[in-house]
């Protein structure tokens, strides 16, 4: 237990707290002027291996079409994820 408390204290706030979708949207809007949807954020997070839970709102048919995140919005979302330390590296 004592070791666990020490581990939590040694981490930064950014490492302990993941950004919400609203925080990511606000960052993207402020820094790039783009509005992004929750769907686009989820697609980018999944692409980078940040899968929090299975989607409960799945389409009824397997071949249902879903809009894909445009490259300029993906780049802005990735920048936001890096800002919030949810992924590492450079663009």
């Amino acid at each position: 237990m004592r070791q666990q408390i020490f581990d939590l204290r040694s981490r930064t706030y950014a490492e302990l707290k993941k950004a919400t979708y609203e925080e990511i949207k606000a960052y993207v809007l402020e820094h790039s002027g783009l509005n992004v949807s929750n769907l686009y954020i989820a697609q980018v997070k999944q692409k980078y291996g940040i899968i929090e839970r299975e989607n409960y709102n799945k389409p009824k048919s397997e071949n249902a079409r879903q809009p894909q995140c445009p490259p300029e919005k993906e780049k802005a979302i990735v920048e936001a994820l890096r800002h919030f330390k949810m992924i590492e590296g450079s663009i």
Side-chain angles (χ1 to χ4, degrees):
M1 179 71 170
R2 181 174 224 138
Q3 181 65 31
Q4 184 180 17
I5 292 171
F6 176 78
D7 289 343
L8 289 176
R9 288 181 183 165
S10 66
R11 294 184 182 171
T12 65
Y13 177 74
E15 290 173 328
L16 292 173
K17 179 185 176 290
K18 293 182 180 177
T20 65
Y21 280 71
E22 293 306 314
E23 290 171 324
I24 293 169
K25 285 180 181 182
Y27 182 90
V28 170
L29 182 61
E30 181 179 333
H31 288 84
S32 68
L34 298 171
N35 285 310
V36 294
S37 68
N38 288 348
L39 172 65
Y40 291 163
I41 295 170
Q43 288 174 350
V44 174
K45 287 174 75 173
Q46 185 174 18
K47 181 176 180 180
Y48 283 86
I50 306 170
I51 302 168
E52 296 164 345
R53 62 177 170 80
E54 190 172 342
N55 183 4
Y56 63 87
N57 191 17
K58 291 184 177 182
K60 293 184 183 357
S61 65
E62 287 184 26
N63 59 355
R65 298 197 61 194
Q66 189 177 63
Q68 296 300 306
C69 185
E72 66 276 3
K73 289 188 177 187
E74 180 177 342
K75 184 177 178 181
I77 293 168
V78 167
E79 181 182 321
L81 294 177
R82 288 197 174 105
H83 169 77
F84 290 111
K85 298 184 177 13
M86 295 175 73
I87 59 176
E88 295 179 0
S90 60
I91 296 177

